[in-house]
Amino acid sequence: MSAEKPDAPRAVIVISSHVARGSVGNRAAVFALETLGFPVWAVPTVILPWHPGHSRATRIVPPLDQFKAMMADLERAPWLGEVRAVLSGYLGEAGQAEAVASLVAAVKEKTPNALYVCDPVMGDSGGLYVPEPTAAAMRDKLMPIADIATPNRYELAWMAGAPLPDIKAVTAAALHAGPSTMLVTSAPAMMAGGIGNFLLDGSQALLAEHRVIERPPNGLGDLTAAVYLARVLSGQAPVKALQSTTAAVYEILARTAKRGGDELQLETDAQSLSHPMAMVQLRHLLHPGRDKRA
């Protein structure tokens, strides 16, 4: 943990989906960040009774003019100086990206060292599950201004316009994606029967691996982005942040799967967020900008 002044900004603005039942979108991110000690301003981009992967259900998207007006209110908030980071995830429509970008700019004007984490929630192995204009808005308006981005492998492939069959291809795509730090989830692993989280920044390429758990509940990407942000804000070095984030999320996933849960059971496994015990394999890979291992 890094020493901070008592009045240092600690709040995180989280902008993503809200479900009544489940642990996805804001429900996952807010729980994780608050459990790890960070106050949260939560902004819903869409309201759903449950994750649409369970079944079709009502979808409430705030009218764009009202969404933009609320975001403008946050830009003018007298407490904006409390904010240390912004995390955006699932968008209800393409037009919301402009308002997110404007709020990020306002936060950074108030607190220049504030972080913006873009989790471009748009698809998975089955392809896009948001309209293409929404995916394009995240790619074109939000990824270029992010300090950290946390796409899954398939989202990165869509943004790169090419399949990413191996870690070499993932590395090349991450290098050209825009943000200075890329955390790619669902990355190809080197261990048999495994899957990984791949981290690339200006000096190192790291891969944290664990075994695959079939038919996992939704929300792992949302949780990973929030936990990694919390680790970084707490002062952890990237290698430690990646390892501890991967261990925490994997531990919660494994325990949920053992119980047969159809949603991540964050309230039951909250201790795993702070003190994960799961073992993950961490590899230092060849950085594409270096001619030797980091």
Side-chain angles (χ1 to χ4, degrees):
M1 299 281 287
S2 62
E4 290 188 351
K5 297 179 180 178
D7 59 346
R10 288 185 57 80
V12 179
I13 301 178
V14 181
I15 308 163
S16 192
S17 58
H18 175 84
V19 293
R21 175 191 183 271
S23 299
V24 300
N26 268 5
R27 289 290 302 274
V30 172
F31 183 92
L33 284 160
E34 291 185 340
T35 297
L36 294 170
F38 295 91
V40 177
W41 302 11
V43 180
T45 56
V46 59
I47 302 171
L48 302 156
W50 48 73
H51 189 280
H54 291 309
S55 66
R56 294 178 63 87
T58 300
R59 171 187 169 92
I60 302 172
V61 179
L64 186 56
D65 59 341
Q66 294 182 21
F67 182 83
K68 288 184 173 181
M70 182 176 69
M71 296 286 274
D73 286 343
L74 295 180
E75 292 183 29
R76 297 188 295 267
W79 314 279
L80 194 65
E82 299 172 355
V83 177
R84 177 68 191 282
V86 178
L87 167 61
S88 70
Y90 185 93
L91 298 185
E93 64 168 281
Q96 293 177 347
E98 181 182 348
V100 173
S102 182
L103 179 58
V104 169
V107 168
K108 285 180 171 285
E109 182 176 0
K110 191 77 172 180
T111 304
N113 66 340
L115 294 177
Y116 170 45
V117 178
C118 176
D119 183 15
V121 181
M122 61 178 71
D124 56 25
S125 58
L128 292 180
Y129 48 62
V130 301
E132 188 164 330
T134 303
M138 286 187 264
R139 178 194 64 198
D140 299 339
K141 295 183 182 296
L142 300 183
M143 287 288 288
I145 64 172
D147 300 292
I148 302 170
T150 62
N152 64 37
R153 171 186 175 185
Y154 311 103
E155 290 160 345
L156 181 60
W158 184 84
M159 290 186 286
L164 305 177
D166 52 37
I167 198 66
K168 182 178 180 180
V170 171
T171 302
L175 183 66
H176 294 96
S180 58
T181 297
M182 292 287 294
L183 172 54
V184 184
T185 61
S186 302
M190 295 182 178
M191 63 183 288
I195 196 167
N197 288 332
F198 173 71
L199 182 72
L200 181 72
D201 62 18
S203 61
Q204 55 195 337
L206 305 165
L207 182 64
E209 305 171 325
H210 59 76
R211 67 180 178 87
V212 170
I213 293 180
E214 299 295 337
R215 296 181 295 279
N218 295 297
L220 296 171
D222 306 307
L223 185 60
T224 298
V227 175
Y228 185 76
L229 173 58
R231 301 289 199 251
V232 171
L233 293 179
S234 296
Q236 288 191 4
V239 61
K240 176 61 176 175
L242 176 66
Q243 185 172 35
S244 62
T245 296
T246 304
V249 175
Y250 172 56
E251 186 170 296
I252 292 170
L253 167 60
R255 290 180 173 179
T256 297
K258 187 175 181 179
R259 300 185 196 105
D262 66 346
E263 294 283 349
L264 294 174
Q265 296 168 353
L266 302 181
E267 71 292 334
T268 303
D269 298 315
Q271 184 70 12
S272 297
L273 294 170
S274 303
H275 303 290
M277 302 297 291
M279 299 297 293
V280 298
Q281 175 73 42
L282 185 70
R283 302 179 189 271
H284 292 254
L285 307 181
L286 185 67
H287 192 282
R290 292 168 174 253
D291 57 6
K292 60 181 180 179
R293 289 185 181 273

